[in-house]
Amino acid sequence: MIEFTTSQITPWVMSLFWPFVRILAFVAVAPILGENSLSRVAKVGVAVLLAFIIAPTLPPPPDIPPVSYVGIWLIVQQILIGIAMGLVMRVVFAAVRAAGDYIGLQMGLGFASFYSAAMGANIMVLAQILNVFALLFFLAFDGHLMMIRVLAFTFFELPVG
């Protein structure tokens, strides 16, 4: 029977925990992965999968317990980094949606709107069409892969701790 001690398991768990916190914050806010139509369980699953993929390539994490004051500060720091990255991507798609609103108003299509459950408000049809095109172009040009690559790169530029 194979036995593990806590001194062996703790570094493994911490090497996955610190990237998981940043990735989960990013996934919660990112344009495609952070949509309301995607369930919370799926978002956590994507974050766990990405953490398992990215964690072996990262330098060793700091030996800080997450329940200490320094550990809580590191968790907050990782959450802020992930949210900031996701919000940058969200702003790009919001600009496309705003352009669709402006174009629709200029064309006299301001009345053509529908309720979007993802946004929780009425959205002009032209803005939704431009948003869908932007999402399709983003996926077609491997924007989602570049987004994950940049997320992994941040662990070297802004290391944990």
Side-chain angles (χ1 to χ4, degrees):
M1 183 165 151
I2 299 174
E3 295 182 14
F4 294 106
T5 63
T6 55
S7 62
Q8 293 171 327
I9 293 175
T10 303
W12 294 342
V13 171
M14 288 298 108
S15 69
L16 288 173
F17 175 74
W18 295 114
F20 172 73
V21 172
R22 185 183 296 186
I23 292 169
L24 184 62
F26 175 74
V27 166
V29 180
I32 294 175
L33 300 171
E35 298 297 329
N36 292 340
S37 59
L38 196 63
S39 72
R40 291 182 185 142
V41 175
K43 290 177 188 179
V44 171
V46 167
V48 167
L49 180 68
L50 288 175
F52 269 111
I53 292 170
I54 293 175
T57 64
L58 302 178
D63 190 24
I64 298 171
V67 292
S68 66
Y69 290 119
V70 177
I72 291 172
W73 173 247
L74 274 178
I75 290 172
V76 169
Q77 183 183 25
Q78 298 309 306
I79 289 172
L80 290 176
I81 291 170
I83 287 174
M85 288 183 56
L87 282 178
V88 167
M89 292 302 302
R90 180 79 62 182
V91 165
V92 171
F93 284 97
V96 171
R97 191 173 293 123
D101 285 339
Y102 183 72
I103 293 168
L105 284 173
Q106 292 298 317
M107 291 174 60
L109 295 175
F111 62 89
S113 64
F114 66 96
Y115 181 76
S116 172
M119 297 296 297
N122 284 341
I123 296 180
M124 287 190 206
V125 173
L126 195 57
Q128 186 64 23
I129 290 171
L130 286 179
N131 190 36
V132 168
F133 279 139
L135 285 173
L136 290 175
F137 282 132
F138 182 72
L139 292 172
F141 294 125
D142 291 336
H144 59 294
L145 298 178
M146 286 187 265
M147 192 168 60
I148 293 170
R149 189 177 310 128
V150 168
L151 177 65
F153 184 70
T154 62
F155 287 103
F156 296 102
E157 290 298 316
L158 299 168
V160 177

